[in-house]
Structures are given as structure tokens and as C-alpha cells.
Amino acid sequence: MDRRTVLKSFALAALMAGSQMGTASAADTIKIGEINSYTSLPAFTLPYRSGWQLALDEINAAGGINGKKLEVISRDDGGKPGDAVTAANELVSRENVSVLFGTFFSHIGLAVSDFANQRKIVFVAAEPLTDALTMEKGNRYTFRLRPGTYMQAAMLVDQAAKLPAKTWATVAPNYEYGQVAVKVFKELMSAKRPDIKWVDEQWPAMGKIDGGATVQALARAEPEAIFNVTFGADLTKFIREGNTRGLFKNRSVVSLLTGEPEYLDPLGDETPSGWIVSGYPWEQIKTPEHEAFLKAYKAKFNDYPRLGSVVGYNTMKAVAEMIRKAGSVDTDKLIAAGEGLKIDSPLGPITFRAEDHQSTMGGYIGKTAMKDGKGMMVDWHYANGADYLPALAEVAKARPKN
Amino acid sequence: MSFFFIQFLNGLASASSLFLVASGLSIIFGVSRIVNFAHGSFYMLGAYMAFTLVQKLSGGTVFGFWGAIVLAAAAVALVGAVVEMVLLRRIYQAPELLQLLATFGLVLIVQDLVLVLWGPEDLLGPRAPGLKGAIDIFGQSFPQYDFVLIILGPVVLGLLWLLFHRTRWGTLIRAATQDREMVAALGVNQAWLFTSVFTLGAFLAGLGGAVQLPREAVNHVMDLQIITEAFVIVVIGGLGSVLGAFLAAVIIGELNAFGILIFPQLTLVLTFLVMAVILVVRPWGLLGKPEMVMRGGGGVERPIRPLTQRGRNVAFAGLVVLLALPMVGGSYGLSVASEVLIFALFAASLHFMMGTGGMVSFGHAAYFGLGSYGAALMVKYFGIPMLAALVTGPLLAAAAALVFGWFCVRLAGAYLAMLTLAFAQIAYAVVFQWSSFTGGDNGLIGIWPAPWAANPVAFYYLTLALCGGGILAVRRITFAPFGYTLRACRDSALRADSIGINLSSHRWAGFALAGFFAGIAGSLYAFLKGSVFPDTISIATSVDGLVMVLLGGVQTLTGPVVGALVYKTLHVTISSYTDQWRTALGVIIIVLVVAFPQGISGFVQGRLTRSEPKEDAA
């Protein structure tokens, strides 16, 4: 080992040091970190990004928060929890963001939530549906906007229980979301309708449904009604096979998320009619707050909003409002502001409950129908999330004591 | 009864689609030995092109529809031909599996391309004109279109048989499948033969994708969904055997159709269980023949040598940089550095298996992931301290490697590789499904380092000590008598056997050691991320490992370290700057493959040793 090599290695080290510098933030902006699965789930996350961008523009156009502009630094996690944690670490350690928000997949939401807990930074989860996020694995740093799996299923049960059907079958993707949705639906239904019998369940692997075989297996059990949890490409395949093979003829179907434009629009003229679904009938919502949102969204992106757009918009608004109310970016003050935080959203006012940090954002429940070869929702109403939140006793029991 | 018949037909319909894709893959592998990872991308492109062409051309007529389907397949064939001529032709002479790396780059690029050209939403194409309805069979409805698929499979099989047995081109292909050097020696233009085979394979994949149009929504994850299944079918059927691929497709198709009736929860793993059983019973698949060695192509390999003085200097300088890093790194920089070190050990352990041991693994993530779970589960359930968990993790990984390895080392080449994949998938399914114990897909969270190691600097030094130590240990073993014996088993099984070396027990031990070191990396990874999810065992992780080893160069010991450094750093930095990071990464990988067919480290080493006195590589 000669001296030149030593010098070289120190030069290299110095070079690496240089690349770490020069990221000091300007004092008149508040930096916020955002992470989502943009490349692995673009159908949902790209409209979602448009949503938070619109909200960000509106906030900054109105003068920002407490005189400071908001700046969002966004990262793609590629659908991998490990990469999401790396991105979160980069945003917190290098970019010095004050708050994190985003994520779609439940396991990624949990990973980032646990990171937030470890690093003591506020994380507003936009989309992950798993109940664990606010229940068994909840922590004081994590807030969640969208109604969780329990709430989603509970909203549908009110309508489903009114159906005359006594024998039910279920079909759900074989992972936590599907499993919990089926479990909750069964429990709540059986409580309301003790006469119901569950005759079959199918668990296709997520993204790999064998449409024909699954449809045939369900038909064999001859249920009077079916509860479906599949979505995306699985749902499309399931519906097309089901239509061809007459599975849905004279059968009631209750289906989670199917009314969301993300999943309804690709169905086109295959849209089944009369399914009880949760979704987002954006073209029919006539409240002033939604019309304002719709107009602004269309003007900015020349496209119509998906449910993801609303989720992104609301999450950004919630983050901004939290900072404004706290009057600072101090984590403890942000948490205090976040508990009970009220915001106005295109779907009406929503509140983040203090006990479990779950928002009261609700969903639209209605029936599917077809018009001009396109799917739409009819007979819908807005189910307020506040009416479907898990009972406080349950929350107290499930959430770890801090 | 009628129900089972219909379910049987359902299985056949799925089998046909699988067969189209798998047959193309099998033919390409049989002749050119290319493990075409981009085959799923061809399938996806076929579906997207069919979507566009059917809308533009068909006008709702039967002729227009099928014309558009064939045209879509032809367009994909054209893409395949271009890929072969522009890219693959340059790297046939490279060491084994390097083509896999190039096709992996293609996969990344096509994923972005599809998103840009066709947008993010799923696209549902029209039903086939004249075949929109269902036929009544014993009182059950069965789609008319599925009948077409059921017929299409055997028809394509027949046409391929005619092509291979009744044309001169087919004769040449069969000859090349058996012995391509001999075919070349007889004056056949190999370049065009390879191009035509690759084009045919791409055509079949494109056709497989295009005929899916009336069955499912075209979407941008179709590529990865089909590719593993296609590999499974090719291997079950026997590499290069088209008839075997057909049989295997029928088996898998029926298995899925009936499997969901008996084990609706096991859909994830059934295919791989069956593949494992078949490979254990028939090591060359159903209709395959004992494989010629997959190695070679790169000429005579330079034997691995201990470092020269200059090499030692470089290594020492590297160590100084690593030790000095915390002075300048910052906490994020250090955590990235820790991640690079972890993957360097992971890649080194994989390299030990495939480079030194000659056993290519497509499922090395199993040991990485089980290492993670071995550590995380102990922390979660027994609250053991971090240091103890860093022991239990690798032990679990090594135990799994002992069990899986016992089966795997009896196989060779691609069959061995696929059996490792099968075991990895089985491990994945166990972790994924056993949610009461492993947390299922929601994983285990809260696995943070002990207070003394929580500081990024402390954790970095811990990682450096363990991973650096691990890499040195792997290196030391390679130069120990055991390592020499392992290399002997790799280079000449026959000679090693005849001088009394117990081949399978040496390879078995090598396999378990590789698993152990991967387990160290995995258990550190759990603490680095604070959580463990099934995706640590996923195919994506295995592929990452392969990419690192190949990028660095299979034939050098520094290769995996360099590969991990380059790949991880590129991945982390590019994805911070652009949404199109997949294209960027794919292009860089392809450029590197073409520029350094021996891997980056192999290239550097080649340059350095050129000036030194030449030694004959006997």
C-alpha cells in the first residue's frame, strides 16, 4: 500500500461527502415527503398524484400555510416495502421533510407507518385499507384518510342484508385485504341475518385468477348471492367469464370497490347491472364542494377524476390543514392538531378521530348500471364514514398502548 | 359429472394459452440456450398490439378480428427479430446466462414503454365476432371462444411438429438443439438460424398474448405473471421439447382448474409443488433429455486466482474508504451504504453457489428471506436481543438450504435452477399464507436494531463487520481445499467422481453454506428496514441477486461486490430522480452487458492482468 493509494481513497471519500451537501432547505418553504407505487400501480396512483398536485396548487395559490409555501417531494416505491422505507429515510434524513404521506398497498403502508413511529415523524396514510394500520399496529404518528377494510365492508352490509338471498358464496383475492373483507362481511351479515348460510368461498391468487374455473366452481355451489372482493384485472376477467357463463343471472352480487371509476370504466359494455357496489359516481355528485373540485380538476388535467384523485386531494388538504392548525412543523404539535382535525373535502367535511387517527371520509354505495356501453352507478347514496367507524371499545382493546 | 367435464374443458382452454407462450420459450432455449426473461414482455406486447389492431382493423368481422390477432403476433415477431439482431447477436459468446441479464433490461424498458403508449388503465378488448356467447353442455354454459382456444393449442403443436420434421429448416433446428457447434461446423449460417428461431418464439408469445384479448383485460403486469408460469411449463415438459411443453401446459391448466375446488387457498403454490415433485422424480422433466452443460460460450475460463499485490492495494484502499465513510456519509448515505453491503454479501453468496459451485439458482431469495424471518420471528415471539437474532436468522436459512439443497444438488443446469425457484416459491407461499405466525402479507414490523446499534453509524459498522467478514469468509472458502473440490465438481464432474470425490455431498455442503451467508444478509436487512415482508423471498429478490452477480461478472470473485454496488446505487439514485427509472435502468444494464460481456469486474480484471505475464489456463 503506497501513499498514492491512500490519498486516492481519501479523495474518493471527500467526493462522496460533496454529493451529500448542498441540500439545505430554504426557510420560506415547508417540505413534505410523499411516497407511492407509481410504477407498479399507475391506474390508481397517477390520478391520485393529479389529486394532490391540484390541492397543492390551490394551497400555494392561496398564499401557502402560515406564509410559507408547501413543497412536496415525491418518490416511487416500485411496489416494494423495502424501497418505500429507503425512500422514507431519504425524505426524512436528507430532504428534511416535516411530514410524510402517501402509499397504496397495505403492507407498504404498515412499513412506512412503523418507520414513522421509529423516527417520530407524522405519516398520513392515503390509501392502505388494512385495519391493522389504525388498530393492532396503529401508532400515534400515523393517520389514515381512506376508510379501512372493516368500514368498507360494513357500508355494504346495510344494503346486502336487505336482499332476500339466504345462501351466499364469496370470492376474494388471497391476501390480507381479501381475507379480512370476507371475514368482516360474514360476521356482520350473520349478525344481522342469522338465517344466512355460507356455501362456498374462492380464493384466487391476486392477479392470477383463473376466470373460467372460478366462475364454474361458484356456480356449482348454487348460491343465491355472491360477495365479491376481487378488483382490477381479476375483476374484469371474472365478470367477463361470469357473463358468458351466466353466473350472474338471477343472482344478487355485492361487490367491494367495483363502482370506483378505476375499476368500473375498464369494464365498458361488460358492466353487470344491479350489483350493489361501493364506488364514486363523480359525474352525478352535485354538491357545491364537489362541483368546485370537479371543475378545477378538469380545468387542470383535462381529464375526469377517479377515486384516487379525491384520495390524493384530501390527503394533501389534510396535511396542509394539520400544519396550519399546529402553527408549526413540530411533530408533537402536528399530532395534537391532527387529532380531531376537521377538513372540508369534495365529499363533505371529514374529521380525523382522536382515538385511532382514522378519518371519517365515507364512500358512495349504490348499484351498477349500463348507459351507452359504459358502466355507471345508480340509486347511490353517500355513506358517511363516521357511522361505520370501529367501536371505540374495539379500538381501545386493539391499539397498543403507547 | 357434467361439472367435472366442464372444469376439465376450462383447464384445457387455459392450457392452450400457456402452451403458446411456453413453446416459444422452449424453442428459443433449446437452440440458442438463451433464458429469455423478456418472453413475458412479448406476450404482453402481443396483447396490447392486438387491442389496438382489433379496434383499428377488425370492423367487427370475423376475418378482420383474426387478421388483427395474427398481425399483432407478427408485429411482436418483428420486435423479436430486431432484438435478436441488434442486441443478442452481440453477446452469444458471453459467459452463460448473460443473455438473461440483457433480456431483463428489456423487460424493464417494455414495462415503461407500454405505460407510455397505452396508458395506465386496464384495457378490455371486444369479444371475438361470432364467438361471443356460450354453448350449452350438459346444462352448463361454456364459452364458444374457449373452444377455439382448446383447438388452437393442438393445432399449433401439429404445425410446429410439421415445421420441425418436414422442412429443412426444422431439421437444422433439431440438429442445432442437439449440437450447435456441429451444425456450425457443417457450414450452416448460424446467425440466421438463431434469428429465425428467436422470431418464431416471439411470434408464438405474441400470439399467446393476442388470443387473450377476448378473455381478459390487457394490463401492464401481464408480463411477469406469465413468465414464471411459462418457465415452469418449459422445465416440467423438458427443455427444448415442444410436445413436453404441451403436456406440461395441460397438467398445469388442469391442476389449476381442479385445484381450486379442493384447495382454494393453495392456488399460489400448487404449480410449484407439482414442479418440485416432477423434477425430483424426473430430473430432466417429462420429455427432456439429460442436458448438455450450460456453461461455456465464453471460451476457456481464467481460473480464479488469489489477489495480486495491486489487487490487494485496491482492496485495502476500498476498506479505508468504507471505514471512513461515516465521517462524510450522513445518516441516509450510511443506510444506503449498509444496504449495498448487505446485497454485496447476498450476491457473494449467490456467486459462491453459481460461480464457484456451478449451481445456478433462480430462488436464492429463499435464504435471504428466511434469514430475515428467522431473525424477525425470534425477536417478535421470544424478544431475543438483536445479536442473537442475527444468529438464528442465518441458522434458519442454512437449515432450509440443507433441506432444499438435498433435492437440488441431484439436478443440473436449468433444471436445478428451476427447482431452487420452486422451493423458494414454496417458502414464499408458506410465509404468505401462515398469517397467524408470520403476519402474512402484512409482514412483521417493529424489528428495529437494539439501542446500541440504532445509530446509523453503529449499524453501518456492524453491517460492515458482518458483511465484510462474510464476503472474506466466502473468499477464504473458495481458496480452501473445499472450494477447490467444489470447482473440480463443477468443471469436470466425471473426473472428480473418478478420483473419489463425493460430488453430491460436496455440492450439498456448498449449497448450505451459500444459504447460510445469504441468511446473514437477510437478517441484517430485517433490522435495516425495521420490518420483514414476504417480498424478501419473492422472485423479484432472486432476480435482483442474479442481476448483481451477472453485472459484476460470474468469473471473478469481486464481481458480485461490484455488481451489487453498481446495481443498488443505480437503482436508489435513478428512482429518486425520474419516474422512468425502469427505462433508465434497463438501458444502462443493456449498455453494460454489451460493453462488458465478462461483467464489469471481469472487464477490469481482464485489463489489469493483460499487462502481467501471461499464464496458460490449462
Side-chain angles (χ1 to χ4, degrees):
Chain A
M1 172 112 190
D2 53 49
R3 222 175 52 192
R4 242 177 49 210
T5 341
V6 178
L7 282 177
K8 259 192 232 164
S9 44
F10 277 113
L12 190 64
L15 204 72
M16 289 166 114
S19 68
Q20 297 292 325
M21 293 168 187
T23 48
S25 67
D28 52 350
T29 58
I30 298 171
K31 284 188 176 182
I32 294 166
E34 194 276 343
I35 301 164
N36 220 322
S37 307
Y38 291 111
T39 47
S40 64
L41 213 79
F44 194 96
T45 49
L46 297 184
Y48 154 90
R49 176 156 65 191
S50 300
W52 67 250
Q53 281 172 343
L54 174 65
L56 181 67
D57 282 3
E58 287 179 7
I59 292 158
N60 281 337
I65 304 292
N66 306 334
K68 293 182 177 178
K69 295 260 186 239
L70 287 191
E71 182 192 348
V72 174
I73 304 169
S74 171
R75 293 284 180 264
D76 175 30
D77 60 36
K80 293 181 180 167
D83 290 352
V85 172
T86 306
N89 193 2
E90 185 208 346
L91 292 169
V92 173
S93 308
R94 197 162 73 171
E95 304 288 353
N96 292 314
V97 299
S98 310
V99 180
L100 289 171
F101 75 95
T103 73
F104 181 96
F105 292 107
S106 287
H107 61 301
I108 296 182
L110 286 168
V112 175
S113 155
D114 193 45
F115 173 87
N117 189 29
Q118 174 79 0
R119 297 290 292 268
K120 305 197 186 334
I121 183 159
V122 170
F123 167 53
V124 182
E127 172 69 13
L129 291 179
T130 181
D131 294 324
L133 197 63
T134 53
M135 304 284 277
E136 304 90 71
K137 290 172 185 168
N139 61 57
R140 64 185 291 256
Y141 300 93
T142 301
F143 293 79
R144 194 231 326 253
L145 178 83
R146 236 193 135 179
T149 312
Y150 170 85
M151 294 169 71
Q152 300 263 2
M155 289 176 196
L156 281 172
V157 165
D158 283 347
Q159 303 298 314
K162 291 179 193 154
L163 293 170
K166 287 202 176 93
T167 51
W168 283 74
T170 62
V171 52
N174 194 9
Y175 71 111
E176 200 248 10
Y177 163 61
Q179 289 153 4
V180 172
V182 166
K183 184 169 149 265
V184 171
F185 186 80
K186 275 184 168 180
E187 278 172 12
L188 295 177
M189 279 295 277
S190 290
K192 286 198 173 184
R193 291 276 304 274
D195 56 328
I196 281 181
K197 271 216 279 258
W198 302 94
V199 293
D200 190 32
E201 43 190 59
Q202 286 299 320
W203 299 100
M206 160 89 157
K208 289 194 163 182
I209 192 170
D210 189 340
T214 306
V215 163
Q216 217 75 39
L218 284 171
R220 183 186 181 215
E222 296 184 349
E224 291 169 63
I226 296 170
F227 175 58
N228 165 63
V229 192
T230 64
F231 58 94
D234 283 341
L235 174 72
T236 319
K237 212 168 168 181
F238 176 64
I239 288 184
R240 184 163 262 189
E241 289 286 347
N243 281 341
T244 316
R245 294 165 193 251
L247 176 69
F248 309 130
K249 234 181 264 167
N250 304 323
R251 272 199 186 104
S252 311
V253 180
V254 175
S255 191
L256 260 181
L257 312 186
T258 307
E260 295 177 8
E262 284 89 337
Y263 309 124
L264 189 63
D265 292 353
L267 291 174
D269 61 1
E270 293 285 337
T271 309
S273 55
W275 284 24
I276 297 171
V277 297
S278 60
Y280 173 47
W282 60 273
E283 76 286 11
Q284 307 171 57
I285 304 170
K286 299 298 177 201
T287 60
E289 56 269 27
H290 189 269
E291 296 215 307
F293 164 75
L294 187 61
K295 198 173 145 217
Y297 192 90
K298 280 185 165 168
K300 186 167 163 67
F301 301 107
N302 195 24
D303 193 5
Y304 62 94
R306 318 297 201 272
L307 186 63
S309 316
V310 182
V311 170
Y313 185 87
N314 285 353
T315 312
M316 186 76 245
K317 286 271 163 138
V319 169
E321 186 57 25
M322 197 184 276
I323 298 171
R324 200 196 55 75
K325 189 176 159 197
S328 110
V329 291
D330 174 72
T331 298
D332 286 327
K333 285 183 184 155
L334 284 173
I335 294 172
E339 296 184 338
L341 183 79
K342 280 195 183 64
I343 62 164
D344 293 319
S345 86
L347 311 188
I350 54 184
T351 313
F352 284 84
R353 189 157 73 164
E355 289 82 358
D356 58 356
H357 295 188
Q358 169 67 47
S359 98
T360 61
M361 178 177 159
Y364 296 88
I365 305 294
K367 287 188 174 163
T368 52
M370 200 178 6
K371 194 181 157 193
D372 307 329
K374 278 186 185 151
M376 62 181 293
M377 279 175 77
V378 293
D379 299 339
W380 52 266
H381 69 278
Y382 180 67
N384 190 338
D387 302 333
Y388 298 94
L389 290 168
L392 282 179
E394 296 286 321
V395 171
K397 206 166 71 187
R399 263 175 94 88
K401 311 284 171 286
N402 285 314
Chain B
M1 196 56 224
S2 66
F3 167 75
F4 290 105
F5 182 66
I6 295 283
Q7 204 68 345
F8 174 71
L9 292 183
N10 284 334
L12 282 187
S14 316
S16 273
S17 329
L18 290 174
F19 166 68
L20 288 181
V21 185
S23 61
L25 192 62
S26 192
I27 296 168
I28 291 177
F29 184 86
V31 174
S32 59
R33 300 278 126 180
I34 290 183
V35 178
N36 181 20
F37 205 71
H39 212 68
S41 307
F42 290 148
Y43 169 84
M44 177 165 74
L45 276 180
Y48 271 106
M49 287 192 181
F51 178 83
T52 302
L53 289 173
V54 163
Q55 288 203 322
K56 290 236 154 75
L57 304 178
S58 91
T61 65
V62 175
F63 181 75
F65 177 83
W66 289 102
I69 296 285
V70 173
L71 211 60
V76 175
L78 192 68
V79 174
V82 171
V83 164
E84 202 278 343
M85 287 193 284
V86 175
L87 175 60
L88 297 175
R89 224 176 240 197
R90 296 171 192 278
I91 50 174
Y92 280 121
Q93 296 310 313
E96 59 168 342
L97 283 180
L98 198 82
Q99 297 88 357
L100 180 138
L101 188 57
T103 55
F104 174 73
L106 280 178
V107 169
L108 293 174
I109 295 171
V110 172
Q111 282 178 337
D112 266 357
L113 190 72
V114 160
L115 192 57
V116 170
L117 290 181
W118 281 282
E121 271 184 19
D122 295 355
L123 305 172
L124 185 65
R127 293 175 180 235
L131 299 165
K132 291 184 178 172
I135 302 169
D136 193 79
I137 302 173
F138 306 131
Q140 309 248 12
S141 303
F142 188 76
Q144 292 162 342
Y145 186 76
D146 285 14
F147 271 112
V148 177
L149 287 185
I150 291 177
I151 297 163
L152 186 64
V155 166
V156 169
L157 176 66
L159 288 176
L160 286 175
W161 189 86
L162 285 177
L163 187 64
F164 286 137
H165 290 86
R166 291 289 179 269
T167 64
R168 180 177 155 70
W169 182 81
T171 312
L172 290 178
I173 293 295
R174 281 187 296 135
T177 308
Q178 289 196 349
D179 190 338
R180 68 181 193 206
E181 277 78 26
M182 181 57 84
V183 173
L186 293 175
V188 175
N189 185 340
Q190 245 193 343
W192 284 110
L193 200 62
F194 280 23
T195 308
S196 58
V197 164
F198 200 83
T199 309
L200 175 67
F203 177 85
L204 289 169
L207 186 64
V211 296
Q212 289 304 307
L213 192 63
R215 297 186 89 210
E216 61 181 303
V218 184
N219 63 75
H220 62 99
V221 290
M222 291 174 88
D223 53 345
L224 296 183
Q225 263 155 33
I226 198 82
I227 188 69
T228 26
E229 209 140 8
F231 271 122
V232 167
I233 286 167
V234 168
V235 166
I236 290 182
L239 293 166
S241 164
V242 176
L243 183 61
F246 184 77
L247 284 180
V250 171
I251 291 176
I252 296 297
E254 294 300 343
L255 194 72
N256 284 336
F258 286 98
I260 63 166
L261 301 176
I262 310 161
F263 322 101
Q265 301 264 20
L266 281 189
T267 39
L268 209 58
V269 71
L270 215 51
T271 318
F272 291 97
L273 272 175
V274 168
M275 175 165 86
V277 171
I278 289 182
L279 284 185
V280 168
V281 179
R282 287 190 67 90
W284 294 287
L286 293 174
L287 297 181
K289 301 192 182 76
E291 196 193 353
M292 299 137 291
V293 191
M294 259 174 78
R295 300 191 60 78
V300 177
E301 208 171 289
R302 191 190 301 273
I304 296 167
R305 295 193 180 289
L307 282 181
T308 55
Q309 184 56 42
R310 198 197 221 154
R312 258 177 244 145
N313 288 348
V314 172
F316 189 79
L319 188 65
V320 170
V321 171
L322 285 174
L323 285 172
L325 204 57
M327 289 193 278
V328 293
S331 96
Y332 171 66
L334 283 183
S335 80
V336 171
S338 300
E339 188 161 342
V340 169
L341 284 170
I342 286 168
F343 277 94
L345 177 59
F346 176 54
S349 73
L350 177 59
H351 176 266
F352 180 69
M353 198 155 138
M354 57 189 271
T356 310
M359 300 173 282
V360 176
S361 169
F362 287 171
H364 208 54
Y367 316 108
F368 184 80
L370 288 174
S372 290
Y373 273 95
L377 286 169
M378 293 303 278
V379 170
K380 208 79 208 162
Y381 288 104
F382 300 102
I384 65 166
M386 180 171 99
L387 276 185
L390 289 176
V391 177
T392 57
L395 285 182
L396 178 69
L402 271 177
V403 176
F404 299 165
W406 191 82
F407 294 98
C408 291
V409 297
R410 272 138 242 279
L411 272 55
Y415 295 99
L416 189 156
M418 287 304 285
L419 190 58
T420 59
L421 174 67
F423 282 120
Q425 284 301 95
I426 291 167
Y428 175 83
V430 167
V431 165
F432 194 93
Q433 298 269 321
W434 196 1
S435 30
S436 58
F437 183 56
T438 61
D441 51 307
N442 272 355
L444 298 167
I445 59 176
I447 316 294
W448 295 100
W452 60 267
N455 181 315
V457 177
F459 191 79
Y460 169 76
Y461 278 124
L462 175 72
T463 312
L464 181 59
L466 286 176
C467 292
I471 292 167
L472 288 179
V474 169
R475 204 184 158 80
R476 180 71 194 84
I477 294 170
T478 306
F479 288 110
F482 175 75
Y484 278 101
T485 318
L486 212 53
R487 279 144 67 188
C489 299
R490 172 195 75 188
D491 289 339
S492 179
L494 206 59
R495 251 188 246 182
D497 202 16
S498 64
I499 57 173
I501 293 173
N502 186 334
L503 280 166
S504 56
S505 64
H506 274 92
R507 297 172 81 198
W508 191 24
F511 197 103
L513 267 175
F516 176 76
F517 285 111
I520 297 180
S523 45
L524 278 166
Y525 187 74
F527 287 103
L528 175 71
K529 297 294 175 187
S531 50
V532 186
F533 296 95
D535 84 314
T536 51
I537 313 184
S538 68
I539 296 174
T541 309
S542 295
V543 171
D544 278 353
L546 274 175
V547 169
M548 290 172 205
V549 170
L550 293 170
L551 208 54
V554 186
Q555 297 173 358
T556 63
L557 285 176
T558 44
V561 178
V562 174
L565 177 69
V566 171
Y567 182 67
K568 263 288 154 191
T569 318
L570 278 178
H571 193 299
V572 170
T573 45
I574 300 177
S575 61
S576 291
Y577 291 108
T578 167
D579 268 3
Q580 267 72 48
W581 58 267
R582 290 184 298 199
T583 305
L585 196 58
V587 169
I588 292 175
I589 287 177
I590 288 177
V591 168
L592 288 176
V593 165
V594 174
F596 311 122
Q598 309 290 325
I600 300 169
S601 186
F603 172 79
V604 174
Q605 200 165 320
R607 289 290 290 266
L608 287 178
T609 45
R610 200 185 290 167
S611 50
E612 285 166 19
K614 233 186 149 89
E615 295 162 277
D616 50 342

